[in-house]
Amino acid sequence: MTDTSNINGKELYNAIISGICKVISRHEHLNKINVFPVPDGDTGTNLLFTLKPILGIKDSISDSVSDTLSKISNVAIDSARGNSGTIMAQYFIGMSEQASTTQNINNTNLHKLLESAYTAAMGSMSDPKEGTIITVMRDIANEAKKHTESSDIKITFKAIHKVSIESLNNTPEQMQILKDSGVVDAGAQGFVDLIEGVCHYLDTGEILNSESIEMHETDELEANIDIENYDESTYQFCTECIVEGNGISRKGMKEKLNQMGD
C-alpha cells in the first residue's frame, strides 16, 4: 500500500481477506471459548462458514470500494451462519449501504462506514448485550471518529486495532458469564482477529496466515456442541433464511420474528 491516505476497492478486499485468514486460523480457539449466548462451541465454525466464501470472488473485485463492499456483503449474507455469522454479515451490509457512492476509503469517511456497519449489526439483534462483539464494533467506530483530520489511514487502523483489543479484554467485566468462565467473548475475539489481519495487510502488503486458506474445507467441519443445561433453552436451534422484496421494514419483520424465536 503506497498511498497511505486512501484505500481502494482491491486493497480493501485484500485487507479483508487477510483478516478472514486470521479468523480461519483461529476458528478452533474461538469454538473453545464460546460460552455466550449459549456454550455450543460453534462461533469459530460459524464465522468460517460465513467468511470463507468471500475468498472466492477475487476475480470480480474492482478498484471501487462501493462495488467491492456490495459484493462482499452479498456473499456474506448468502453464507451467514449462526449468531456470530449473521451479525458479521449485517456489519458488512451496513458498511456497503453507507458506501453506495464511495470510490476510496479515507479518514474522512471511514468513521461513517464503521458507524453504519455498527448500526446495522446492532439493529439485527433482538436483545443486544454489552461485552460482546457489538461493544467492540461501537468502540472502534468511536475511535475512527477521532482521526478524521489525519492524513494517514494506516495509523488510524493501528489505533482502531489497539482500541479493539482493549475493548475485547474488557468484555469479562461487562458480562459475568465470561468472567466466571475466564474467557473473553468469542464473537468479539473473532472480530478483533479480523481487524488484526486487515491491519497486517495495510502495513505489509501481505496476507496474514495465508496458509489457512487451504487448511479447512467447510463441508468437513463440525461444531463441538457441549451444553450442560441445553433443556433450559426455549429456542434450541439457529435458523437462517433470506427474504427478498421491496419496501421491507426491518423493524416490522423483527417484531414478527421475535414471536417465534430470540
Side-chain angles (χ1 to χ4, degrees), residues 35-82:
V35 298
F36 181 83
V38 287
D40 49 0
D42 65 354
T43 291
T45 300
N46 287 340
L47 286 174
L48 191 155
F49 269 92
T50 301
L51 298 174
K52 189 169 183 180
I54 295 172
L55 276 63
I57 60 173
K58 180 179 180 179
D59 293 340
S60 68
I61 297 300
S62 70
D63 285 334
S64 166
V65 164
S66 174
D67 180 63
T68 296
L69 284 174
S70 176
K71 289 175 179 175
I72 288 174
S73 63
N74 284 336
V75 171
I77 200 64
D78 281 349
S79 58
R81 173 165 160 169

Tab-separated table of all heavy atoms in Angstrom, residues 35-82:
chain	number	residue	atom	x	y	z
A	35	VAL	N	-18.972	-19.253	25.071
A	35	VAL	CA	-19.889	-19.551	26.182
A	35	VAL	C	-21.165	-18.709	26.143
A	35	VAL	O	-22.093	-18.947	26.912
A	35	VAL	CB	-19.204	-19.343	27.551
A	35	VAL	CG1	-18.024	-20.276	27.705
A	35	VAL	CG2	-18.783	-17.888	27.746
A	36	PHE	N	-21.229	-17.694	25.266
A	36	PHE	CA	-22.404	-16.820	25.172
A	36	PHE	C	-22.778	-16.631	23.715
A	36	PHE	O	-21.898	-16.504	22.871
A	36	PHE	CB	-22.098	-15.452	25.809
A	36	PHE	CG	-23.264	-14.504	25.760
A	36	PHE	CD1	-24.259	-14.562	26.719
A	36	PHE	CD2	-23.384	-13.575	24.730
A	36	PHE	CE1	-25.347	-13.699	26.663
A	36	PHE	CE2	-24.464	-12.725	24.666
A	36	PHE	CZ	-25.453	-12.781	25.633
A	37	PRO	N	-24.091	-16.608	23.365
A	37	PRO	CA	-25.261	-16.683	24.244
A	37	PRO	C	-25.539	-18.071	24.800
A	37	PRO	O	-26.208	-18.207	25.811
A	37	PRO	CB	-26.414	-16.209	23.354
A	37	PRO	CG	-25.969	-16.536	21.972
A	37	PRO	CD	-24.482	-16.352	21.962
A	38	VAL	N	-25.037	-19.117	24.122
A	38	VAL	CA	-25.074	-20.470	24.683
A	38	VAL	C	-23.724	-21.120	24.410
A	38	VAL	O	-23.094	-20.856	23.386
A	38	VAL	CB	-26.206	-21.343	24.066
A	38	VAL	CG1	-27.561	-20.897	24.572
A	38	VAL	CG2	-26.156	-21.319	22.553
A	39	PRO	N	-23.252	-21.987	25.315
A	39	PRO	CA	-21.935	-22.610	25.133
A	39	PRO	C	-21.987	-23.782	24.163
A	39	PRO	O	-21.781	-24.927	24.534
A	39	PRO	CB	-21.591	-23.076	26.556
A	39	PRO	CG	-22.910	-23.338	27.184
A	39	PRO	CD	-23.857	-22.315	26.617
A	40	ASP	N	-22.262	-23.467	22.897
A	40	ASP	CA	-22.420	-24.545	21.917
A	40	ASP	C	-21.198	-24.742	21.033
A	40	ASP	O	-21.236	-25.508	20.070
A	40	ASP	CB	-23.666	-24.336	21.051
A	40	ASP	CG	-23.764	-22.934	20.470
A	40	ASP	OD1	-22.858	-22.122	20.732
A	40	ASP	OD2	-24.745	-22.655	19.763
A	41	GLY	N	-20.105	-24.064	21.338
A	41	GLY	CA	-18.830	-24.336	20.689
A	41	GLY	C	-18.815	-24.183	19.188
A	41	GLY	O	-18.128	-24.949	18.501
A	42	ASP	N	-19.531	-23.182	18.646
A	42	ASP	CA	-19.592	-23.080	17.188
A	42	ASP	C	-19.309	-21.688	16.638
A	42	ASP	O	-19.444	-21.471	15.437
A	42	ASP	CB	-20.963	-23.553	16.682
A	42	ASP	CG	-22.114	-22.651	17.138
A	42	ASP	OD1	-21.871	-21.718	17.943
A	42	ASP	OD2	-23.262	-22.895	16.705
A	43	THR	N	-18.890	-20.751	17.464
A	43	THR	CA	-18.645	-19.390	16.972
A	43	THR	C	-17.582	-19.373	15.874
A	43	THR	O	-17.759	-18.745	14.824
A	43	THR	CB	-18.226	-18.458	18.125
A	43	THR	OG1	-19.346	-18.250	18.993
A	43	THR	CG2	-17.765	-17.103	17.599
A	44	GLY	N	-16.472	-20.053	16.101
A	44	GLY	CA	-15.409	-20.091	15.093
A	44	GLY	C	-15.842	-20.765	13.813
A	44	GLY	O	-15.551	-20.297	12.711
A	45	THR	N	-16.564	-21.875	13.941
A	45	THR	CA	-17.056	-22.587	12.762
A	45	THR	C	-18.049	-21.732	11.981
A	45	THR	O	-18.002	-21.679	10.747
A	45	THR	CB	-17.727	-23.910	13.178
A	45	THR	OG1	-16.763	-24.725	13.859
A	45	THR	CG2	-18.256	-24.663	11.974
A	46	ASN	N	-18.941	-21.044	12.694
A	46	ASN	CA	-19.926	-20.202	12.024
A	46	ASN	C	-19.271	-19.025	11.297
A	46	ASN	O	-19.686	-18.662	10.190
A	46	ASN	CB	-20.959	-19.694	13.027
A	46	ASN	CG	-21.914	-20.781	13.480
A	46	ASN	OD1	-22.063	-21.805	12.821
A	46	ASN	ND2	-22.557	-20.570	14.615
A	47	LEU	N	-18.259	-18.438	11.905
A	47	LEU	CA	-17.543	-17.349	11.235
A	47	LEU	C	-16.799	-17.870	10.016
A	47	LEU	O	-16.737	-17.199	8.981
A	47	LEU	CB	-16.574	-16.676	12.206
A	47	LEU	CG	-17.203	-15.764	13.260
A	47	LEU	CD1	-16.147	-15.273	14.249
A	47	LEU	CD2	-17.908	-14.578	12.606
A	48	LEU	N	-16.230	-19.062	10.124
A	48	LEU	CA	-15.533	-19.658	8.983
A	48	LEU	C	-16.504	-19.891	7.828
A	48	LEU	O	-16.223	-19.531	6.676
A	48	LEU	CB	-14.868	-20.965	9.409
A	48	LEU	CG	-13.883	-21.620	8.432
A	48	LEU	CD1	-12.890	-22.493	9.179
A	48	LEU	CD2	-14.591	-22.462	7.373
A	49	PHE	N	-17.663	-20.490	8.113
A	49	PHE	CA	-18.666	-20.733	7.081
A	49	PHE	C	-19.139	-19.427	6.442
A	49	PHE	O	-19.385	-19.368	5.233
A	49	PHE	CB	-19.878	-21.456	7.682
A	49	PHE	CG	-19.796	-22.948	7.619
A	49	PHE	CD1	-19.256	-23.674	8.661
A	49	PHE	CD2	-20.266	-23.638	6.512
A	49	PHE	CE1	-19.178	-25.059	8.614
A	49	PHE	CE2	-20.200	-25.020	6.444
A	49	PHE	CZ	-19.653	-25.741	7.499
A	50	THR	N	-19.264	-18.385	7.254
A	50	THR	CA	-19.770	-17.104	6.759
A	50	THR	C	-18.748	-16.376	5.914
A	50	THR	O	-19.080	-15.812	4.858
A	50	THR	CB	-20.184	-16.218	7.946
A	50	THR	OG1	-21.195	-16.880	8.722
A	50	THR	CG2	-20.710	-14.868	7.467
A	51	LEU	N	-17.497	-16.379	6.345
A	51	LEU	CA	-16.473	-15.528	5.731
A	51	LEU	C	-15.671	-16.184	4.611
A	51	LEU	O	-15.246	-15.508	3.674
A	51	LEU	CB	-15.505	-15.030	6.813
A	51	LEU	CG	-16.117	-14.151	7.911
A	51	LEU	CD1	-15.086	-13.864	8.995
A	51	LEU	CD2	-16.660	-12.854	7.328
A	52	LYS	N	-15.440	-17.490	4.694
A	52	LYS	CA	-14.569	-18.132	3.709
A	52	LYS	C	-15.059	-17.981	2.264
A	52	LYS	O	-14.233	-17.808	1.361
A	52	LYS	CB	-14.369	-19.613	4.048
A	52	LYS	CG	-13.286	-20.248	3.166
A	52	LYS	CD	-12.866	-21.625	3.619
A	52	LYS	CE	-11.741	-22.143	2.728
A	52	LYS	NZ	-11.286	-23.486	3.117
A	53	PRO	N	-16.381	-18.032	1.986
A	53	PRO	CA	-16.824	-17.858	0.597
A	53	PRO	C	-16.412	-16.528	-0.028
A	53	PRO	O	-16.352	-16.411	-1.255
A	53	PRO	CB	-18.349	-17.976	0.697
A	53	PRO	CG	-18.571	-18.859	1.879
A	53	PRO	CD	-17.514	-18.432	2.860
A	54	ILE	N	-16.094	-15.525	0.802
A	54	ILE	CA	-15.653	-14.228	0.278
A	54	ILE	C	-14.333	-14.374	-0.477
A	54	ILE	O	-14.035	-13.604	-1.396
A	54	ILE	CB	-15.525	-13.204	1.431
A	54	ILE	CG1	-16.907	-12.932	2.048
A	54	ILE	CG2	-14.910	-11.889	0.950
A	54	ILE	CD1	-16.868	-12.086	3.308
A	55	LEU	N	-13.551	-15.395	-0.133
A	55	LEU	CA	-12.288	-15.635	-0.827
A	55	LEU	C	-12.503	-16.001	-2.294
A	55	LEU	O	-11.589	-15.854	-3.113
A	55	LEU	CB	-11.505	-16.767	-0.152
A	55	LEU	CG	-10.641	-16.412	1.055
A	55	LEU	CD1	-11.478	-15.882	2.214
A	55	LEU	CD2	-9.850	-17.621	1.529
A	56	GLY	N	-13.708	-16.420	-2.640
A	56	GLY	CA	-13.962	-16.900	-3.994
A	56	GLY	C	-14.344	-15.843	-5.005
A	56	GLY	O	-14.591	-16.166	-6.179
A	57	ILE	N	-14.412	-14.568	-4.592
A	57	ILE	CA	-14.852	-13.526	-5.534
A	57	ILE	C	-13.707	-12.607	-5.954
A	57	ILE	O	-13.940	-11.524	-6.492
A	57	ILE	CB	-16.002	-12.684	-4.935
A	57	ILE	CG1	-15.562	-11.992	-3.631
A	57	ILE	CG2	-17.228	-13.568	-4.701
A	57	ILE	CD1	-16.607	-11.012	-3.095
A	58	LYS	N	-12.481	-13.050	-5.751
A	58	LYS	CA	-11.307	-12.217	-6.024
A	58	LYS	C	-11.285	-11.675	-7.445
A	58	LYS	O	-10.977	-10.502	-7.666
A	58	LYS	CB	-10.032	-13.027	-5.755
A	58	LYS	CG	-8.753	-12.257	-6.016
A	58	LYS	CD	-7.526	-13.099	-5.699
A	58	LYS	CE	-6.253	-12.313	-5.960
A	58	LYS	NZ	-5.033	-13.109	-5.639
A	59	ASP	N	-11.618	-12.505	-8.418
A	59	ASP	CA	-11.507	-12.103	-9.826
A	59	ASP	C	-12.538	-11.061	-10.233
A	59	ASP	O	-12.415	-10.459	-11.307
A	59	ASP	CB	-11.638	-13.329	-10.736
A	59	ASP	CG	-10.470	-14.289	-10.588
A	59	ASP	OD1	-9.409	-13.857	-10.101
A	59	ASP	OD2	-10.620	-15.481	-10.944
A	60	SER	N	-13.558	-10.843	-9.422
A	60	SER	CA	-14.603	-9.877	-9.771
A	60	SER	C	-14.434	-8.538	-9.058
A	60	SER	O	-15.244	-7.629	-9.239
A	60	SER	CB	-15.981	-10.450	-9.428
A	60	SER	OG	-16.146	-10.572	-8.022
A	61	ILE	N	-13.370	-8.404	-8.263
A	61	ILE	CA	-13.174	-7.197	-7.456
A	61	ILE	C	-12.532	-6.087	-8.282
A	61	ILE	O	-11.568	-6.315	-9.018
A	61	ILE	CB	-12.302	-7.508	-6.223
A	61	ILE	CG1	-13.004	-8.503	-5.308
A	61	ILE	CG2	-11.976	-6.235	-5.457
A	61	ILE	CD1	-14.343	-8.051	-4.773
A	62	SER	N	-13.079	-4.870	-8.142
A	62	SER	CA	-12.555	-3.706	-8.860
A	62	SER	C	-11.930	-2.717	-7.876
A	62	SER	O	-11.878	-2.969	-6.668
A	62	SER	CB	-13.695	-3.011	-9.618
A	62	SER	OG	-14.582	-2.370	-8.711
A	63	ASP	N	-11.482	-1.591	-8.392
A	63	ASP	CA	-10.889	-0.562	-7.534
A	63	ASP	C	-11.937	0.217	-6.748
A	63	ASP	O	-11.586	0.989	-5.853
A	63	ASP	CB	-10.066	0.426	-8.374
A	63	ASP	CG	-8.738	-0.166	-8.831
A	63	ASP	OD1	-8.234	-1.076	-8.143
A	63	ASP	OD2	-8.208	0.285	-9.860
A	64	SER	N	-13.212	0.029	-7.075
A	64	SER	CA	-14.282	0.770	-6.409
A	64	SER	C	-14.621	0.153	-5.061
A	64	SER	O	-14.968	-1.034	-4.978
A	64	SER	CB	-15.533	0.789	-7.296
A	64	SER	OG	-16.664	1.205	-6.560
A	65	VAL	N	-14.558	0.934	-3.994
A	65	VAL	CA	-14.936	0.467	-2.660
A	65	VAL	C	-16.413	0.122	-2.615
A	65	VAL	O	-16.821	-0.878	-2.015
A	65	VAL	CB	-14.598	1.534	-1.599
A	65	VAL	CG1	-15.328	1.255	-0.284
A	65	VAL	CG2	-13.099	1.592	-1.369
A	66	SER	N	-17.245	0.923	-3.263
A	66	SER	CA	-18.687	0.670	-3.303
A	66	SER	C	-18.995	-0.699	-3.898
A	66	SER	O	-19.745	-1.495	-3.320
A	66	SER	CB	-19.388	1.761	-4.119
A	66	SER	OG	-20.756	1.451	-4.291
A	67	ASP	N	-18.395	-0.973	-5.046
A	67	ASP	CA	-18.620	-2.255	-5.720
A	67	ASP	C	-18.065	-3.415	-4.896
A	67	ASP	O	-18.700	-4.468	-4.771
A	67	ASP	CB	-17.956	-2.219	-7.097
A	67	ASP	CG	-18.150	-3.520	-7.868
A	67	ASP	OD1	-19.309	-3.857	-8.175
A	67	ASP	OD2	-17.142	-4.199	-8.145
A	68	THR	N	-16.902	-3.220	-4.309
A	68	THR	CA	-16.260	-4.277	-3.509
A	68	THR	C	-17.102	-4.634	-2.294
A	68	THR	O	-17.350	-5.817	-2.014
A	68	THR	CB	-14.861	-3.828	-3.065
A	68	THR	OG1	-14.044	-3.653	-4.218
A	68	THR	CG2	-14.225	-4.846	-2.135
A	69	LEU	N	-17.562	-3.631	-1.550
A	69	LEU	CA	-18.355	-3.896	-0.347
A	69	LEU	C	-19.714	-4.498	-0.691
A	69	LEU	O	-20.244	-5.319	0.062
A	69	LEU	CB	-18.528	-2.609	0.462
A	69	LEU	CG	-17.306	-2.177	1.262
A	69	LEU	CD1	-17.538	-0.810	1.909
A	69	LEU	CD2	-16.948	-3.204	2.338
A	70	SER	N	-20.264	-4.104	-1.826
A	70	SER	CA	-21.531	-4.682	-2.262
A	70	SER	C	-21.381	-6.181	-2.504
A	70	SER	O	-22.218	-6.988	-2.077
A	70	SER	CB	-22.021	-3.989	-3.535
A	70	SER	OG	-23.208	-4.596	-4.015
A	71	LYS	N	-20.305	-6.562	-3.182
A	71	LYS	CA	-20.074	-7.980	-3.479
A	71	LYS	C	-19.756	-8.768	-2.209
A	71	LYS	O	-20.245	-9.888	-2.011
A	71	LYS	CB	-18.955	-8.118	-4.503
A	71	LYS	CG	-19.374	-7.664	-5.891
A	71	LYS	CD	-18.217	-7.677	-6.883
A	71	LYS	CE	-18.710	-7.233	-8.261
A	71	LYS	NZ	-17.605	-7.101	-9.238
A	72	ILE	N	-18.945	-8.185	-1.336
A	72	ILE	CA	-18.600	-8.859	-0.078
A	72	ILE	C	-19.842	-9.068	0.777
A	72	ILE	O	-20.061	-10.160	1.329
A	72	ILE	CB	-17.545	-8.051	0.698
A	72	ILE	CG1	-16.185	-8.150	-0.009
A	72	ILE	CG2	-17.430	-8.545	2.143
A	72	ILE	CD1	-15.118	-7.270	0.607
A	73	SER	N	-20.676	-8.044	0.903
A	73	SER	CA	-21.857	-8.153	1.755
A	73	SER	C	-22.865	-9.145	1.184
A	73	SER	O	-23.522	-9.877	1.937
A	73	SER	CB	-22.505	-6.775	1.946
A	73	SER	OG	-22.966	-6.240	0.716
A	74	ASN	N	-22.984	-9.195	-0.140
A	74	ASN	CA	-23.907	-10.158	-0.759
A	74	ASN	C	-23.476	-11.595	-0.489
A	74	ASN	O	-24.311	-12.458	-0.181
A	74	ASN	CB	-23.996	-9.916	-2.270
A	74	ASN	CG	-24.837	-8.705	-2.613
A	74	ASN	OD1	-25.689	-8.290	-1.840
A	74	ASN	ND2	-24.588	-8.122	-3.783
A	75	VAL	N	-22.185	-11.849	-0.602
A	75	VAL	CA	-21.673	-13.192	-0.327
A	75	VAL	C	-21.840	-13.530	1.154
A	75	VAL	O	-22.261	-14.636	1.519
A	75	VAL	CB	-20.194	-13.317	-0.738
A	75	VAL	CG1	-19.607	-14.642	-0.255
A	75	VAL	CG2	-20.050	-13.201	-2.243
A	76	ALA	N	-21.528	-12.572	2.015
A	76	ALA	CA	-21.603	-12.816	3.459
A	76	ALA	C	-23.019	-13.133	3.902
A	76	ALA	O	-23.243	-14.053	4.699
A	76	ALA	CB	-21.061	-11.609	4.221
A	77	ILE	N	-24.002	-12.405	3.390
A	77	ILE	CA	-25.377	-12.657	3.821
A	77	ILE	C	-25.896	-13.967	3.246
A	77	ILE	O	-26.702	-14.659	3.865
A	77	ILE	CB	-26.312	-11.476	3.442
A	77	ILE	CG1	-27.587	-11.506	4.291
A	77	ILE	CG2	-26.649	-11.458	1.967
A	77	ILE	CD1	-27.365	-11.294	5.760
A	78	ASP	N	-25.423	-14.340	2.067
A	78	ASP	CA	-25.819	-15.632	1.483
A	78	ASP	C	-25.265	-16.807	2.283
A	78	ASP	O	-25.895	-17.859	2.370
A	78	ASP	CB	-25.328	-15.743	0.030
A	78	ASP	CG	-26.221	-14.972	-0.936
A	78	ASP	OD1	-27.306	-14.545	-0.516
A	78	ASP	OD2	-25.821	-14.805	-2.100
A	79	SER	N	-24.075	-16.634	2.843
A	79	SER	CA	-23.420	-17.740	3.540
A	79	SER	C	-23.500	-17.621	5.056
A	79	SER	O	-22.972	-18.480	5.769
A	79	SER	CB	-21.947	-17.823	3.122
A	79	SER	OG	-21.271	-16.609	3.399
A	80	ALA	N	-24.166	-16.578	5.559
A	80	ALA	CA	-24.219	-16.326	7.000
A	80	ALA	C	-24.755	-17.527	7.764
A	80	ALA	O	-25.750	-18.131	7.376
A	80	ALA	CB	-25.084	-15.097	7.290
A	81	ARG	N	-24.060	-17.841	8.842
A	81	ARG	CA	-24.451	-18.999	9.641
A	81	ARG	C	-24.320	-18.664	11.122
A	81	ARG	O	-23.296	-18.153	11.562
A	81	ARG	CB	-23.560	-20.190	9.286
A	81	ARG	CG	-23.780	-21.406	10.178
A	81	ARG	CD	-23.154	-22.623	9.545
A	81	ARG	NE	-22.921	-23.667	10.543
A	81	ARG	CZ	-22.575	-24.908	10.261
A	81	ARG	NH1	-22.405	-25.267	9.010
A	81	ARG	NH2	-22.376	-25.791	11.212
A	82	GLY	N	-25.366	-18.977	11.886
A	82	GLY	CA	-25.324	-18.784	13.327
A	82	GLY	C	-25.377	-17.322	13.735
A	82	GLY	O	-25.439	-16.407	12.914
